[in-house]
Amino acid sequence: EPEVTQTPSHQVTQMGQEVILRCVPISNHLYFYWYRQILGQKVEFLVSFYNNEISEKSEIFDDQFSVERPDGSNFTLKIRSTKLEDSAMYFCASNPEIFNTEAFFGQGTRLTVV
Amino acid sequence: RKEVEQDPGPFNVPEGATVAFNCTYSNSASQSFFWYRQDCRKEPKLLMSVYSSGNEDGRFTAQLNIASQYISLLIRDSKLSDSATYLCVVLRGGNQGGKLIFGQGTELSVKP
């Protein structure tokens, strides 16, 4: 069964450092997303991406965040200067289409900022 | 007001019990509705989509009332393996992807 894969599974970084979280969506999917979940809290939308550009972003997704689809398969989330409060699980998801279809989630990257 | 609100948990039930989860959403522009399941520190996984006609998948029954903006999930004959957090999720947004809005989840613990 096709799946969304994320790397690394766990990343520890020092405050102020840049991190890049990587995702390989399912190959025929068109819509890509990043969500995050702070420990003990709900899953929150960060950004959606379609047709090689951002479709929508949340207020969490400030100038420290950026997304790219550099080579037609990978989908990356970059955090330029990490803060302690960026510590969370980051989930990548993809959809073949929008409505009434399952969003497939990757297994997540646990980011710990120290 | 939270956009998607669920019953606060946790629910602790014995095996074989029937358990019901309730959820309300505030944005009438919500377009699709789902129940996801999340095991501890894992990714959310789709349990079932929810339709206004109601739908059933084995021991699981989901209902949607668009007029009252209410979604429910019923689990019959609960199993130990049903222990997880159940997430009420709505899709909102336009033609370029939309976004999933998650409730805070209701934890279910099924005991022997």
Side-chain angles (χ1 to χ4, degrees):
Chain A
E1 185 179 328
E3 59 181 19
V4 176
T5 56
Q6 290 185 242
T7 54
S9 56
H10 187 195
Q11 171 121 27
V12 181
T13 189
Q14 289 202 320
M15 193 168 55
Q17 295 297 303
E18 175 183 288
V19 294
I20 297 177
L21 310 184
R22 301 181 193 279
C23 170
V24 180
I26 295 171
S27 62
N28 63 340
H29 285 191
L30 302 175
Y31 302 91
F32 313 112
Y33 309 85
W34 284 100
Y35 291 83
R36 82 169 185 192
Q37 186 174 32
I38 295 170
L39 186 64
Q41 298 187 24
K42 66 178 183 179
V43 177
E44 299 175 288
F45 168 78
L46 289 179
V47 65
S48 58
F49 193 86
Y50 169 71
N51 201 25
N52 289 318
E53 59 183 27
I54 290 175
S55 310
E56 187 174 352
K57 56 186 180 180
S58 73
E59 58 192 28
I60 303 167
F61 194 90
D62 61 20
D63 292 343
Q64 294 297 317
F65 291 86
S66 62
V67 289
E68 265 193 335
R69 191 159 157 78
D71 57 11
S73 62
N74 290 287
F75 179 51
T76 61
L77 174 70
K78 184 193 290 187
I79 310 174
R80 259 179 278 283
S81 177
T82 49
K83 304 188 277 286
L84 294 176
E85 54 265 37
D86 294 327
S87 295
M89 283 289 282
Y90 287 81
F91 294 109
C92 173
S94 69
N95 260 40
E97 52 184 276
I98 313 169
F99 301 116
N100 291 320
T101 61
E102 177 179 359
F104 291 80
F105 282 80
Q107 80 280 16
T109 293
R110 182 150 56 104
L111 176 66
T112 303
V113 183
V114 297
Chain B
R1 184 184 171 187
K2 294 175 187 171
E3 188 163 347
V4 178
E5 281 207 72
Q6 297 185 236
D7 288 332
F11 282 36
N12 297 301
V13 303
E15 267 187 294
T18 295
V19 60
F21 300 130
N22 301 307
C23 170
T24 56
Y25 60 96
S26 60
N27 193 319
S28 59
S30 301
Q31 292 154 311
S32 301
F33 309 90
F34 310 92
W35 284 100
Y36 275 74
R37 169 191 170 131
Q38 187 175 31
D39 293 289
C40 188
R41 294 183 178 252
K42 303 276 192 175
E43 75 273 23
K45 290 189 176 175
L46 182 70
L47 181 65
M48 56 199 303
S49 300
V50 190
Y51 306 109
S52 54
S53 54
N55 48 303
E56 190 173 306
D57 182 2
R59 297 181 293 109
F60 299 85
T61 301
Q63 300 273 358
L64 167 65
N65 185 319
I66 292 177
S68 53
Q69 296 181 190
Y70 168 81
I71 307 165
S72 66
L73 176 69
L74 187 76
I75 306 175
R76 288 181 299 278
D77 189 23
S78 51
K79 312 287 185 199
L80 297 177
S81 57
D82 294 333
S83 297
T85 297
Y86 289 82
L87 308 174
C88 179
V89 185
V90 305
L91 174 71
R92 182 165 61 77
N95 295 323
Q96 292 189 335
K99 60 187 179 187
L100 296 177
I101 310 295
F102 286 78
Q104 76 274 23
T106 303
E107 186 182 342
L108 173 65
S109 181
V110 182
K111 307 288 189 193

